[in-house]
Amino acid sequence: MRKIKEVLRLKFELGLRNRQIAASCGLPHSSVANYLYRAKAAGIEWPLPAEMDEAALEARLFPSVSGKKPRATPVPDFAWMHEELQRHKHVTLQLLWQEYKQANPEGYQYSRFCELYHRWARKLDVVLRQEHRAGEKLFVDHAGQTVPVVDAESGQVEEVTIFVAVLGASNYTYAEATRKRDLPSWIGSHVRALEYLGGVPAVLVPDNTRTGVHSPCRYEPDLNPTYRDFAEHYGTVVIPARVRKPRDKAKVETGVLLVERWILATLRHRTFFGLAQLNESIRELLVKLNNRKFRKLNSTRSRLFEELDRPALKPLPSDPFTYGEWKKARVHIDYHVEVERHYYSVPHSLIHTEIEAWMSAQTVEIFHKGRRVVTHVRSFIEGGQTTLAEHRPKRHQKYLEWTPVRFLAWGESHGPSTAEAVRRILESCKHPEQGHRSCFGLLSLAKRYPQQRLEAACARAVALDACSYKSIKSILETGLDRQPLQPECTPESHKLVHTNVRGATYYRSMEVDHAS
């Protein structure tokens, strides 16, 4: 319409000929003649009325186009078709067209049917062009492609993964290889990426991987506690992309593609004997990638990073992040919690309660309702236990205060016989715990009977070689400790001589007779 208005101006205002108008507007002279004929037939004069816009002008010049009657052929329900294609993975446009033709035999043919649907669907896929402020967002992800690394000693080939991070404003890119996609590798890659950038962005944007997001959710994703601690340490925030919405992190999706094309593809013919060697090569090619000019901008990633992102990044904290994992556990009846197959004590008042344990390489910190209750030095002995005495109940502390040396000292304070009885009890038991229980039994007897009676009972038990809690208790209950202790009578050997009594000489002579 702008050209048609220009044609009318040049004709009626300047009085140019048709060929001059065609040369000026870049139109065929036949088109100029056609436009002027239509204007004359429609009664349009120059200058155009102020209320006549381009739509009204088009309606006057081309009434057959603007007033075209709608097609009588029923139009398919594209919204319902789109929903059916998303809901049922085996439904195709061919099937939907066949159903449409059954209901409308005079309807569109298959090619036109598909063309109309795709034209309608393109209007749904509207892309929001995001504006990234300097230093605001760092997009992170793992590349789908892996790189083989050969063990120099065993020759075993290991496929390692590639971590990629891209700043939003400058597209400045970082990449490194890691052995796994687990949480320690994920956090370690973040730490090294921030050190490479020399600062901290305001927002980290990962996808909803299980490594960083504990419970994916479109509106309120639940972050992994360690990932949250990492963000708090660096003074940033983690906002994961929506599930199945890769365009939320289109920057890193493009960055992954560039890393695969310009770095991994370049290294495809090389053999790496170790992760450090691979990362050294990646770091060299990263410099080239960030210094490579954009196709549509007269600049590079490095230059934009220095101009935009670097001044806006927050400074790194003085100390790097200390990696640690969180684990929920319940306190056992023995006031210990199991953390990585080792048992750590907590105050006995927390029995049966749920706690959180934070595990670093050196320590294990245990929290209850957000309050730290104890810090232990981490132990990697499976099945072992680390116990603080103050965590035990008072009765348990008193029980464990008794040692063999203390039992012997207690026995000597009551008398030599009591001390000897205690010594024999401790030596006779295969397990120290058994001897301790018997000695505790003697302690209970000392509370019920006077010291003289216990000493006398122990003396009788020593003489009879019956040193046990039950024997000494029986002596006290029956009052044998009050009776004088008589020496044991040992009968003399039988010296009676009789003809019917045959001695060793007789049996020796019998052996000689049998031998002969």
Side-chain angles (χ1 to χ4, degrees):
M1 289 299 106
R2 287 196 304 271
K3 284 195 175 184
I4 293 177
K5 292 167 69 175
E6 180 66 9
V7 167
L8 297 177
R9 185 184 73 84
L10 295 177
K11 183 65 177 178
F12 297 113
E13 185 172 324
L14 300 180
L16 299 180
R17 293 176 303 187
N18 289 1
R19 291 188 181 272
Q20 290 176 323
I21 296 172
S24 176
C25 296
L27 295 172
H29 67 88
S30 59
S31 297
V32 173
N34 182 34
Y35 295 153
L36 294 175
Y37 172 78
R38 287 179 176 272
K40 183 179 180 180
I44 296 176
E45 298 179 354
W46 188 264
L48 298 176
E51 65 275 6
M52 182 177 289
D53 56 6
E54 292 185 358
L57 178 61
E58 182 182 11
R60 293 280 297 276
L61 292 175
F62 305 99
S64 60
V65 175
S66 58
K68 187 177 180 180
K69 295 182 180 180
R71 181 184 175 97
T73 304
V75 178
D77 187 352
F78 296 124
W80 175 81
M81 289 170 51
H82 185 71
E83 184 178 350
E84 288 295 301
L85 289 171
Q86 287 189 325
R87 183 182 302 174
H88 307 287
K89 62 179 181 179
H90 298 299
V91 173
T92 62
L93 282 175
Q94 178 78 25
L95 176 62
L96 294 176
W97 174 75
Q98 292 176 358
E99 295 176 352
Y100 164 77
K101 287 291 286 184
Q102 289 178 0
N104 305 279
E106 301 298 327
Y108 295 107
Q109 297 303 314
Y110 180 66
S111 58
R112 181 62 175 167
F113 179 85
C114 294
E115 179 186 353
L116 292 175
Y117 169 74
H118 290 304
R119 184 185 300 174
W120 176 87
R122 279 196 296 269
K123 297 179 181 179
L124 298 179
D125 197 16
V126 179
V127 178
L128 172 65
R129 186 170 184 85
Q130 302 183 41
E131 295 183 1
H132 300 285
R133 293 191 294 271
E136 182 185 24
K137 292 182 179 181
L138 178 68
F139 299 86
V140 294
D141 199 0
H142 280 115
Q145 182 178 343
T146 58
V147 180
V149 174
V150 181
D151 191 324
E153 296 182 357
S154 64
Q156 183 177 1
V157 179
E158 178 184 8
E159 295 289 337
V160 299
T161 187
I162 305 299
F163 172 86
V164 181
V166 179
L167 281 169
S170 63
N171 291 310
Y172 196 68
T173 304
Y174 171 79
E176 71 168 18
T178 58
R179 296 193 179 279
K180 300 179 179 179
R181 295 193 179 190
D182 55 2
L183 185 59
S185 301
W186 177 255
I187 298 297
S189 296
H190 277 69
V191 172
R192 290 183 288 273
L194 296 183
E195 291 175 352
Y196 182 80
L197 300 176
V200 182
V203 180
L204 298 174
V205 184
D207 58 5
N208 275 267
T209 176
R210 291 286 295 178
T211 306
V213 181
H214 188 268
S215 298
C217 177
R218 181 182 179 92
Y219 304 104
E220 294 181 352
D222 185 14
L223 297 180
N224 186 296
T226 301
Y227 200 15
R228 188 185 301 111
D229 290 347
F230 166 83
E232 292 178 0
H233 180 81
Y234 284 95
T236 184
V237 63
V238 178
I239 303 179
R242 294 173 294 173
V243 180
R244 298 186 183 91
K245 297 293 181 180
R247 286 175 180 165
D248 287 1
K249 52 184 181 65
K251 287 283 185 176
V252 74
E253 295 289 341
T254 305
V256 166
L257 182 62
L258 290 174
V259 167
E260 292 177 344
R261 286 180 177 177
W262 294 98
I263 296 181
L264 302 187
T266 305
L267 301 175
R268 69 188 186 279
H269 295 308
R270 294 182 56 181
T271 302
F272 297 96
F273 298 93
L275 201 62
Q277 184 183 8
L278 173 59
N279 279 324
E280 183 178 353
S281 300
I282 291 176
R283 188 66 65 94
E284 294 174 357
L285 293 176
L286 265 180
V287 176
K288 296 182 179 180
L289 174 63
N290 287 321
N291 289 326
R292 184 170 172 268
K293 280 190 176 182
F294 295 105
R295 289 193 301 173
K296 298 182 179 181
L297 294 176
N298 187 23
S299 185
T300 64
R301 290 173 173 80
S302 296
R303 185 184 303 172
L304 290 179
F305 172 69
E306 295 296 335
E307 295 175 357
L308 300 177
D309 280 322
R310 184 184 287 277
L313 293 176
K314 294 185 291 185
L316 292 168
S318 57
D319 299 323
F321 177 69
T322 301
Y323 176 79
E325 294 187 32
W326 288 90
K327 176 185 177 181
K328 291 184 178 181
R330 190 170 294 277
V331 182
H332 299 173
I333 194 172
D334 60 356
Y335 45 88
H336 284 71
V337 292
E338 184 268 327
V339 178
E340 296 295 317
R341 300 183 181 180
H342 189 86
Y343 297 89
Y344 299 90
S345 67
V346 298
H348 65 89
S349 59
L350 297 178
I351 290 176
H352 298 312
T353 60
E354 190 176 74
I355 56 88
E356 287 185 313
W358 184 79
M359 304 167 287
S360 67
Q362 293 80 24
T363 61
V364 172
E365 300 182 19
I366 298 176
F367 295 81
H368 178 246
K369 294 183 178 180
R371 181 178 62 88
R372 183 188 293 107
V373 295
V374 64
T375 300
H376 290 284
V377 176
R378 186 166 184 179
S379 175
F380 295 92
I381 302 175
E382 294 187 3
Q385 66 180 35
T386 301
T387 308
L388 298 181
E390 58 268 23
H391 291 166
R392 297 187 175 100
K394 293 295 184 181
R395 62 182 184 275
H396 290 187
Q397 296 180 23
K398 292 181 179 179
Y399 178 84
L400 294 177
E401 288 174 356
W402 287 92
T403 62
V405 176
R406 187 176 178 185
F407 280 123
L408 290 172
W410 173 83
E412 292 175 354
S413 67
H414 281 67
S417 298
T418 305
E420 180 63 19
V422 170
R423 186 186 64 80
R424 293 192 181 187
I425 288 174
L426 293 174
E427 292 179 353
S428 64
C429 296
K430 295 181 179 180
H431 194 277
E433 189 73 16
Q434 293 176 322
H436 289 188
R437 291 188 177 184
S438 298
C439 292
F440 276 118
L442 294 185
L443 290 176
S444 65
L445 293 177
K447 297 177 182 179
R448 295 165 52 190
Y449 298 96
Q451 180 178 344
Q452 297 81 2
R453 292 195 61 185
L454 180 61
E455 174 68 12
C458 289
R460 181 176 289 274
V462 170
L464 298 176
D465 195 18
C467 294
S468 67
Y469 163 72
K470 290 184 177 181
S471 298
I472 298 174
K473 178 182 178 182
S474 177
I475 293 174
L476 291 170
E477 289 178 347
T478 57
L480 291 177
D481 58 291
R482 294 190 176 95
Q483 298 181 10
L485 184 60
Q486 298 179 356
E488 184 178 356
C489 297
T490 304
E492 297 182 1
S493 59
H494 189 64
K495 297 181 180 179
L496 182 63
V497 178
H498 193 272
T499 56
N500 293 331
V501 178
R502 292 170 288 183
T505 306
Y506 171 80
Y507 291 101
R508 196 175 297 113
S509 63
M510 292 288 293
E511 291 177 0
V512 174
D513 294 340
H514 284 293
S516 60

